[in-house]
Amino acid sequence: MSTKPAVVPSCAKAPLGPAARSVLSRIAGQAQTRAHICAVRSDEETVTYGELWERAGCVAAVVSAAARGGGELRVAIGLAPGAAWVGCLLGIWRAGAAAVPVNLDHPPARLRLLAGSADLLVHSGEAIPSWWPEDTPAVTFPEEGHLHGPRAEYASTAGGRTACILHTSGSTGAPKPVVLPHSGLAHRITAFADLYRITAEDRIAQLAAASVDVVLWETLLALTIGGTLCVPHGRQRVPGIGLVRWLAAEQVTVATLTPTMLAALPEMTLPELRLLVVGGEALDPARFAYWIGRHQVANAYGPTEATIATHVAPHITADGQPAPLGRPVPGVEDFLLDENDQPVPDGQPGHLHLAGVGLADGYAGLPDRTAHAFPTLTISGRAVRVYRTGDRAWRRPDGQLVYAGRIDRQINLGGVRLEPEEVEAAALALDGVTAAAALAEQAEDRDVLALHAAVPGGRITEAALRAHLAGLLPSTAVPARIHLHPSLPLTGYGKPDVHAIAALAFPDASAAADPDETAPAAADGPPVELPDTVLAWWRQATGTEPATATTDFFSCGGDSLACVELLHRVNEAFGLEIPLTHFTAQPTPAFLARALASTARESS
């Protein structure tokens, strides 16, 4: 990677208006008036507003000291969720720089791609991570003993235009860096704090991964209003009994989850919880009657490119009707357009375009992608800069939008937004794979991500391809099913024919095996040798018993969420530290048995 000069932000930037400065200035105000009140709480520590602002000042000092040159500095946050992460975010802004949040659970190959969007890394103080470029500066987060002493004063208002660069899945095989300005972020936080009536008494859960826009929503919603941000750790972050017990113990009042996460929570009483914000995928109210009957459930919608959320239906009811996306928040416009970019009548589905406050400045370093995704259109006689969401929706008589699916290949599984081209590009990087197509595939009562790959001569095995993908993609993008073929059907343009390939997974009944042929009672292979508790967890995660020691977790019904839950249980019960990427590459009982046997030998 070529050297990228790390630079100090210029002091000659045009001043921001009051709305653009409000996030950081409002937190600074809380630090003055509520200095001794808890701002961030986790199992590891409790940090007051005064201490948090102090940490932010220290981060601003080390960031500015490491910078050189002129321009807007981009700083990667190489820290796990918690008070240090929050202090780092605020410190980057106090230094007038832009934050580049990353998810440290992603494989190194993906993190190296994200590193290309940053000029500087703030990390935990241990060795510089191997994924960070050697020719790019890195500094350690200030240790506790270095939080005091004389230093320069740093701004309590954002000094640059850009707040964050967040990465979405990329159709070109690389993540797309979305540039979000401070003005849009400040607008959203203020709007939703008012809409949800957030007060200083609220205890807001920080459940999102550190690299997604919802983490900004959770963090800033709490801190700008003087509330408490509650951060779970370890297995508490995994939807299930551990998370719901943590929500109860921390007396959380506001939480944001996807429907898939909410469905994984046991239906337990949470008397302090007043608001559940649900988003990220289509919401079926009938599935969540328990929660809707006991709490305010809001359905929120919005892509990263339009800053966190643009629409909300604040009170969902279990009335048998589809949950609406709601109406746009003040300052946002929505347009439902046909293939000619003209408005469709109310009640008819159209391609949802967004405009107004909060649109991203574009994709950093990708002018062609930016021009396509953020065109200026003439709508009803006026020129409007819009974002093409790729979502279809229709408008109800009461003005609320209802989601009607995707218009392109981008898919949403379990609240995770995926672009199949990224998965395909990763597969094609493995020598021996000549074509690839990723798509959603039905598995019992849900959709999973499936990959069809052409491997002429059979030189590539499913296990080898899965291991390769696990090293390049986040766990949520590693296909639950992998189908290998000698070749894939192509379109007239020489591209994989997605519609024809989808039929390969579900052949017509006429192509089925001879009904007189009887399948074996069980697959051939070595027997399963796992403790009964681990076998029970496997059954809960997949819905099936592993037939052999080489049974594939994902092929027999497991998905990424269930995989995380299973590993947390095994690690916690047996004192292991099995990385998610290792099990994703070898998702079999045999792998778990070897890990358990290794621990047994070490303890003997």
Side-chain angles (χ1 to χ4, degrees):
M1 181 178 294
S2 62
T3 302
K4 305 186 297 294
V7 293
V8 173
S10 170
C11 296
K13 294 186 184 343
L16 298 172
R21 296 195 300 262
S22 67
V23 168
L24 199 56
S25 61
R26 287 176 67 181
I27 296 174
Q30 300 295 345
Q32 290 182 337
T33 60
R34 299 173 64 81
H36 302 294
I37 302 299
C38 176
V40 183
R41 173 181 167 81
S42 69
D43 287 347
E44 299 177 346
E45 60 182 335
T46 297
V47 177
T48 67
Y49 274 91
E51 293 167 340
L52 183 64
W53 196 249
E54 182 87 354
R55 292 186 180 194
C58 292
V59 171
V62 298
V63 165
S64 293
R68 57 184 182 271
E72 190 166 69
L73 183 69
R74 303 165 300 175
V75 184
I77 305 178
L79 305 170
W85 187 94
V86 177
C88 188
L89 175 70
L90 301 182
I92 290 169
W93 288 345
R94 289 189 68 180
V100 184
V102 297
N103 185 346
L104 299 179
D105 291 332
H106 284 173
R110 182 178 178 86
L111 291 174
R112 279 191 284 272
L113 289 175
L114 308 190
S117 296
D119 310 300
L120 177 70
L121 170 71
V122 179
H123 62 100
S124 64
E126 301 171 356
I128 297 176
S130 60
W131 53 266
W132 187 251
E134 294 182 0
D135 57 4
T136 307
V139 296
T140 60
F141 183 82
E143 297 179 0
E144 191 66 30
H146 298 155
L147 292 178
H148 306 285
R151 59 183 171 277
E153 282 297 318
Y154 289 88
S156 60
T157 58
R161 173 180 174 80
T162 303
C164 293
I165 298 177
L166 296 170
H167 292 80
T168 69
S169 181
S171 61
T172 59
K176 294 179 295 186
V178 181
V179 181
L180 295 181
H182 278 287
S183 56
L185 185 60
H187 175 273
R188 289 297 186 273
I189 299 304
T190 301
F192 281 101
D194 292 341
L195 178 67
Y196 295 136
R197 300 185 179 182
I198 305 299
T199 73
E201 302 302 315
D202 275 311
R203 299 169 64 85
I204 299 177
Q206 193 271 288
L207 304 179
S211 59
V212 301
D213 55 1
V214 176
V215 75
L216 300 174
W217 177 345
E218 297 165 328
T219 301
L220 302 176
L221 205 59
L223 300 183
T224 56
I225 213 71
T228 302
L229 183 70
C230 301
V231 185
H233 287 277
R235 193 175 169 197
Q236 295 170 341
R237 299 189 70 87
V238 180
I241 187 64
L243 174 56
V244 78
R245 285 176 175 167
W246 176 84
L247 291 170
E250 290 296 314
Q251 298 181 321
V252 167
T253 62
V254 179
T256 302
L257 304 94
T258 66
T260 294
M261 294 171 65
L262 185 57
L265 293 187
E267 294 180 347
M268 293 176 57
T269 302
L270 296 173
E272 302 301 324
L273 185 67
R274 70 172 184 85
L275 173 64
L276 274 168
V277 181
V278 182
E281 58 183 324
L283 173 64
D284 178 6
R287 294 182 62 201
F288 304 107
Y290 176 87
W291 301 105
I292 291 172
R294 290 162 177 78
H295 309 279
Q296 178 187 351
V297 175
N299 192 28
Y301 166 85
T304 300
E305 287 88 344
T307 306
I308 307 174
T310 59
H311 291 66
V312 64
H315 294 273
I316 295 299
T317 58
D319 57 5
Q321 300 298 316
L325 301 180
R327 300 179 180 85
V329 299
V332 172
E333 289 186 279
D334 59 28
F335 303 95
L336 298 177
L337 306 180
D338 61 19
E339 61 275 10
N340 298 314
D341 292 332
Q342 295 303 307
V344 301
D346 288 353
Q348 293 188 16
H351 182 178
L352 177 58
H353 291 61
L354 301 172
V357 181
L359 286 198
D361 286 344
Y363 301 119
L366 300 173
D368 291 341
R369 299 275 307 173
T370 297
H372 173 75
F374 297 89
T376 297
L377 303 178
T378 300
I379 303 174
S380 299
R382 63 188 178 99
V384 185
R385 180 178 183 261
V386 298
Y387 170 63
R388 301 182 188 271
T389 68
D391 289 324
R392 296 172 71 248
W394 56 275
R395 198 180 309 277
R396 300 193 326 188
D398 63 2
Q400 298 196 77
L401 294 185
V402 178
Y403 179 69
R406 295 290 304 174
I407 66 166
D408 52 22
R409 290 195 59 208
Q410 189 180 85
I411 57 179
N412 196 315
L413 298 175
V416 179
R417 173 179 156 186
L418 299 169
E419 286 183 294
E421 291 91 340
E422 183 182 15
V423 181
E424 294 160 1
L428 292 170
L430 179 62
D431 187 31
V433 177
T434 60
L439 63 156
E441 189 173 285
Q442 184 69 26
E444 296 180 356
D445 61 345
R446 59 191 170 86
D447 286 341
V448 298
L449 181 65
L451 175 71
H452 292 260
V455 289
R459 294 182 293 128
I460 303 296
T461 64
E462 180 181 338
L465 180 52
R466 186 180 298 281
H468 167 77
L469 295 174
L472 294 177
L473 301 168
S475 61
T476 51
V478 176
R481 292 177 176 175
I482 294 179
H483 307 283
L484 303 181
H485 310 276
S487 62
L488 294 181
L490 304 178
T491 66
Y493 294 98
K495 299 180 180 180
D497 187 336
V498 176
H499 297 291
I501 292 168
L504 295 175
F506 303 100
D508 186 79
S510 62
D514 188 328
D516 292 334
E517 296 182 3
T518 303
D524 294 332
V528 178
E529 296 183 0
L530 286 176
D532 290 343
T533 53
V534 178
L535 285 174
W537 295 336
W538 182 290
R539 286 193 297 271
Q540 292 173 18
T542 65
T544 62
E545 189 85 23
T548 72
T550 56
T551 297
D552 187 286
F553 177 86
F554 298 99
S555 295
C556 69
D559 57 21
S560 58
L561 196 62
C563 175
V564 172
E565 173 69 11
L566 173 64
L567 279 191
H568 270 290
R569 285 180 164 181
V570 173
N571 286 337
E572 186 176 81
F574 295 93
L576 297 174
E577 294 184 359
I578 302 173
L580 181 62
T581 54
H582 289 191
F583 181 69
T584 304
Q586 303 178 66
T588 65
F591 172 82
L592 294 177
R594 288 195 298 271
L596 292 171
S598 174
T599 300
R601 288 194 297 270
E602 292 175 0
S603 60
S604 62

